[in-house]
Amino acid sequence: MHSSPLNRRATARDVAERVGCSIATVSLYINGKAAGRVAVATQQRIEKAIAELGYRVNTTASALATGGSNAIGFVSPDPTNPFFSMVLEGLTTGLDDRFALTVLMPSHGNDYDRPTLQRALAGDFAGLVLASPGRYLLDAFSPTCPTILLDAGGSQAGFNSIDIDITTAANELAEHLVGLGHQEIGYVRLSRDKASLRHRQEYLDQALARVGASLGTDHLVLDDITVKAAELAFPEVWETWKVRGVTAVICGDELYAYGVLKACKALGFSVPGDLSLVAFNDLPYAELMDPPLTSINLSARGLGTAAAAALQRYIETGRRPARQTVPASLVVRASTGRAASR
Amino acid sequence: MHSSPLNRRATARDVAERVGCSIATVSLYINGKAAGRVAVATQQRIEKAIAELGYRVNTTASALATGGSNAIGFVSPDPTNPFFSMVLEGLTTGLDDRFALTVLMPSHGNDYDRPTLQRALAGDFAGLVLASPGRYLLDAFSPTCPTILLDAGGSQAGFNSIDIDITTAANELAEHLVGLGHQEIGYVRLSRDKASLRHRQEYLDQALARVGASLGTDHLVLDDITVKAAELAFPEVWETWKVRGVTAVICGDELYAYGVLKACKALGFSVPGDLSLVAFNDLPYAELMDPPLTSINLSARGLGTAAAAALQRYIETGRRPARQTVPASLVVRASTGRAASR
DNA sequence: ATGAAAGCGCTAACAG
DNA sequence: CTGTTAGCGCTTTCAT
């Protein structure tokens, strides 16, 4: 309306000139510090000029002057995995409007690495959120701004983290499975050393052992977190698992469960008739599968909102947040049933 | 190592002092403009000092000085809808490392609105990508930086857009359905006026009419793009559709198809035995459904990479990109079959 | 109640 | 080859 596209953008100086006041006065007004320091009449004229010129503060300049950026960096392995989408959603809804969320992803490959982290450090962020960082990444990482680790698999010395507490859920799952007669259980996991994932497995191991069941050591180990990887590799590991007497499979990531389900169908197995299936995550798709997946809900969204709240407080007060935890919970659906007799 | 966390960050001045040269020289070096202008010996000493101090340029200051931000804003309705995740992924892989991608989402509600757009305009972005903007948003929108519309449903006067060309796919789908004996087809769509979605429907109407089939006017119209919405509403509309003799349903968004599928199961319909089902989108989950969904692949990722390329060129050259199109394609899977005899 | 001025850290002429 | 200088647009003291 007032300006053709891509015109020079109005500055505080333009506003000041139009009003006939100084830039400082404009600054006071737009930062809400005018009360009792700027005449009301002047304030109104400034407001009017701002509207007429379509003025908006230049956040870059503002950040430089105040020495504080308004950008939060979100470092995520894979925007396409709904777990991270949900964390992202939690973050955006939890963050104040004055913060901008910048996402940093691996430029190639399927997880983020040092270069990605370097970019995160190089950008001027007010705060940083690292989602499910591999442990090897943290060795070489020294934060330059308030940083929070998400789902890092237990507290990491010197880092602030929000973790998923799976103890209760793991125990419930163990009881659920054993209650259905399952003893020998197969596990599908990622090859990379992700603390968060190893963590899941360790708790599971303990919880199952306590009730007399076992995860075995013959895990199906995959290099990528994709449906395809699990689908292709499942038939092979099945030979081994069959011998051990496996009647249920737990997948360290939900995408794996989708793959296993497809493989089962191709092999003519019925789920849960022949094999019970459990997934970590509980994405919106878990209940759309056929059968719907029994899963451990990792509260991805909650992780995001908790991170947003903690990080904002951290940035504002400068005090490191206490270590936090969001609870995972077991959601029983039709993909688990009585163990097949053997 | 060299500095305790959250120490004051080294500036170019620190580097210059340590080396004993001027700030300008440091600037030349770090911007790769040193060749033939700075003595090699000096360059090495600068490099050394940079490493020792852990210096990184302050991008905020840099942006202010050059008058160009390095941030691209991505405005998206819902990070949780995999379509947008895939666009996002395309964007991140397509964008140069020197750009940072900032995501802007509706602060609440289920689509972005003027306030979100305001935030996008207020941030200092080098470029902006608006995903599937509602038409009503564009009336009041005048870009202040290179902006590209994605999936805006046909060119919008004065805007640069990349659209999904569904003509071929729509024709193929029409032939596919009619070939299977379908005449009366139900359509599930969003109530909001999204040009991109209306567009889909119009093409479909034409393509179907051409081969003697019909989409009817009794669409199932929903307010949110969620699985639940479709699942709950389907049984009601079915009464109407049954009378019309509907044998196939096309869903304007894949999430709707998931809902319809669930509803069908609950109602005891077999798909495609009693009803064929088609979805727009073709997310990774389409083929995991039972039955796998016949769908129109909207090339979300391709949309993202195309946008990244076009926007970068736009920013660098200042010349508006030509209108572009990525083709959609029909993917036939098991959810469509012969029309039920009636 | 308002303005002048210093400066945030960097870049880009321009002068030597 | 290198340093000086003048900003980028804003915030913030400190006078007035």
Side-chain angles (χ1 to χ4, degrees):
Chain A
M1 208 57 47
H2 14 71
S3 62
S4 75
L6 305 189
N7 244 357
R8 184 181 143 280
R9 178 169 156 173
T11 72
R13 161 187 250 108
D14 298 327
V15 176
E17 276 172 3
R18 193 163 235 261
V19 171
C21 69
S22 80
I23 300 177
T25 306
V26 174
S27 176
L28 283 178
Y29 176 74
I30 56 182
N31 289 311
K33 296 178 180 166
R37 321 233 259 122
V38 175
V40 179
T42 314
Q43 294 192 39
Q44 289 168 342
R45 294 170 52 223
I46 292 176
E47 179 58 46
K48 187 152 164 282
I50 286 178
E52 288 167 354
L53 294 169
Y55 168 78
R56 286 159 295 114
V57 326
N58 179 326
T59 57
T60 305
S62 173
L64 181 58
T66 56
S69 133
N70 73 331
I72 307 268
F74 176 56
V75 188
S76 151
D78 178 9
T80 263
N81 183 323
F83 178 74
F84 299 107
S85 311
M86 292 168 78
V87 174
L88 181 59
E89 197 208 4
L91 275 173
T92 61
T93 67
L95 275 182
D96 243 354
D97 262 12
R98 66 203 151 82
F99 287 107
L101 230 207
T102 296
V103 295
L104 296 134
M105 319 271 188
S107 6
H108 43 258
N110 31 38
D111 198 349
Y112 59 93
D113 44 16
R114 297 229 168 70
T116 311
L117 232 38
Q118 284 310 320
R119 288 197 295 138
L121 259 15
D124 299 290
F125 292 107
L128 224 41
V129 176
L130 309 191
S132 308
R135 174 165 287 162
Y136 61 100
L137 272 183
L138 299 178
D139 305 337
F141 178 74
S142 94
T144 55
C145 65
T147 298
I148 291 187
L149 270 32
L150 255 36
D151 182 35
S155 69
Q156 306 289 334
F159 293 103
N160 314 293
S161 56
I162 304 185
D163 274 292
I164 304 169
D165 178 10
I166 65 162
T167 50
T168 310
N171 286 329
E172 283 175 16
L173 175 59
E175 277 161 29
H176 171 69
L177 289 177
V178 168
L180 291 168
H182 299 277
Q183 297 285 318
E184 291 296 332
I185 294 164
Y187 188 63
V188 186
R189 66 173 176 87
L190 182 68
S191 59
R192 255 169 286 143
D193 182 25
K194 275 268 200 217
S196 60
L197 296 181
R198 199 158 20 125
H199 203 235
R200 287 177 202 173
Q201 177 206 322
E202 285 165 3
Y203 272 97
L204 227 40
D205 262 332
Q206 290 172 23
L208 287 167
R210 195 154 32 230
V211 292
S214 161
L215 212 54
T217 51
D218 50 357
H219 305 165
L220 173 50
V221 178
L222 304 171
D223 291 328
D224 298 335
I225 306 190
T226 62
V227 174
K228 206 79 198 163
E231 184 186 355
L232 292 177
F234 178 77
E236 294 171 37
V237 80
W238 179 245
E239 295 305 314
T240 321
W241 285 356
K242 197 164 51 182
V243 175
R244 173 152 70 90
V246 165
T247 56
V249 173
I250 301 178
C251 296
D253 189 279
E254 188 164 335
L255 297 188
Y256 290 156
Y258 299 160
V260 171
L261 198 53
K262 284 194 73 181
C264 282
K265 284 182 185 164
L267 292 169
F269 295 2
S270 96
V271 174
D274 298 316
L275 192 65
S276 283
L277 193 54
V278 179
F280 271 96
N281 245 4
D282 201 47
L283 305 178
Y285 310 98
E287 61 163 336
L288 301 174
M289 295 296 127
D290 189 58
L293 293 173
T294 290
S295 42
I296 292 192
N297 182 332
L298 296 177
S299 331
R301 231 194 93 101
L303 210 53
T305 52
L311 193 51
Q312 263 172 203
R313 233 174 301 130
Y314 191 2
I315 292 172
E316 271 150 26
T317 68
R319 285 202 314 275
R320 295 183 42 171
R323 187 157 170 284
Q324 255 183 93
T325 246
V326 301
S329 58
L330 179 67
V331 182
V332 175
R333 296 204 187 86
S335 70
T336 44
R338 293 229 131 267
S341 56
R342 35 196 195 99
Chain B
M1 206 63 41
H2 11 73
S3 62
S4 76
L6 306 189
N7 244 357
R8 182 182 143 281
R9 179 169 156 171
T11 72
R13 163 186 247 107
D14 298 326
V15 176
E17 275 172 5
R18 194 162 232 262
V19 170
C21 68
S22 79
I23 301 178
T25 306
V26 174
S27 176
L28 283 177
Y29 177 73
I30 56 184
N31 289 311
K33 296 177 180 168
R37 321 233 259 123
V38 176
V40 179
T42 314
Q43 294 192 40
Q44 289 169 343
R45 293 168 56 221
I46 292 176
E47 178 59 46
K48 189 151 163 281
I50 286 178
E52 287 166 354
L53 295 170
Y55 168 78
R56 285 159 297 114
V57 328
N58 180 326
T59 57
T60 306
S62 172
L64 182 57
T66 55
S69 135
N70 72 331
I72 306 271
F74 176 56
V75 187
S76 150
D78 177 9
T80 262
N81 183 322
F83 178 74
F84 300 107
S85 310
M86 290 167 78
V87 174
L88 180 59
E89 198 209 3
L91 275 173
T92 61
T93 66
L95 275 181
D96 242 354
D97 262 12
R98 68 204 151 81
F99 287 107
L101 229 208
T102 296
V103 296
L104 296 133
M105 318 272 187
S107 6
H108 43 258
N110 31 38
D111 199 350
Y112 60 93
D113 44 15
R114 296 231 170 69
T116 311
L117 232 38
Q118 284 309 321
R119 290 198 294 138
L121 259 14
D124 300 289
F125 292 107
L128 224 41
V129 176
L130 309 192
S132 308
R135 175 165 288 164
Y136 63 99
L137 272 181
L138 298 178
D139 305 337
F141 178 73
S142 93
T144 56
C145 65
T147 298
I148 291 187
L149 270 32
L150 255 37
D151 182 35
S155 69
Q156 307 288 334
F159 293 102
N160 314 293
S161 56
I162 303 185
D163 274 293
I164 304 171
D165 177 10
I166 65 163
T167 49
T168 309
N171 286 330
E172 282 174 15
L173 176 59
E175 276 162 30
H176 172 68
L177 289 177
V178 168
L180 290 168
H182 299 277
Q183 297 285 317
E184 291 297 332
I185 295 164
Y187 189 63
V188 186
R189 66 172 178 88
L190 182 69
S191 60
R192 252 169 289 144
D193 182 24
K194 275 270 200 213
S196 60
L197 297 182
R198 198 157 23 124
H199 203 234
R200 286 176 203 174
Q201 177 206 319
E202 285 165 5
Y203 272 97
L204 227 39
D205 263 332
Q206 291 171 21
L208 287 168
R210 194 151 35 226
V211 292
S214 160
L215 212 54
T217 51
D218 51 357
H219 305 163
L220 173 50
V221 178
L222 303 169
D223 290 328
D224 298 333
I225 306 189
T226 62
V227 175
K228 206 80 199 163
E231 183 187 354
L232 293 177
F234 178 76
E236 294 171 38
V237 79
W238 179 245
E239 294 306 314
T240 321
W241 285 357
K242 197 165 49 181
V243 175
R244 174 152 68 91
V246 166
T247 56
V249 173
I250 301 178
C251 296
D253 189 279
E254 187 163 336
L255 297 187
Y256 290 156
Y258 299 160
V260 171
L261 198 54
K262 285 193 72 180
C264 282
K265 284 181 185 166
L267 292 170
F269 295 1
S270 96
V271 174
D274 297 316
L275 193 65
S276 282
L277 192 55
V278 179
F280 271 96
N281 243 4
D282 201 49
L283 305 178
Y285 309 97
E287 61 163 336
L288 300 173
M289 295 296 128
D290 189 59
L293 293 174
T294 291
S295 40
I296 292 191
N297 182 333
L298 296 178
S299 330
R301 231 194 93 100
L303 210 53
T305 52
L311 193 52
Q312 263 172 203
R313 232 172 304 130
Y314 191 2
I315 292 171
E316 273 150 24
T317 67
R319 286 202 314 275
R320 298 183 42 172
R323 186 156 173 284
Q324 253 182 94
T325 247
V326 300
S329 57
L330 179 67
V331 182
V332 175
R333 297 204 188 84
S335 71
T336 44
R338 293 231 131 266
S341 55
R342 36 195 194 101

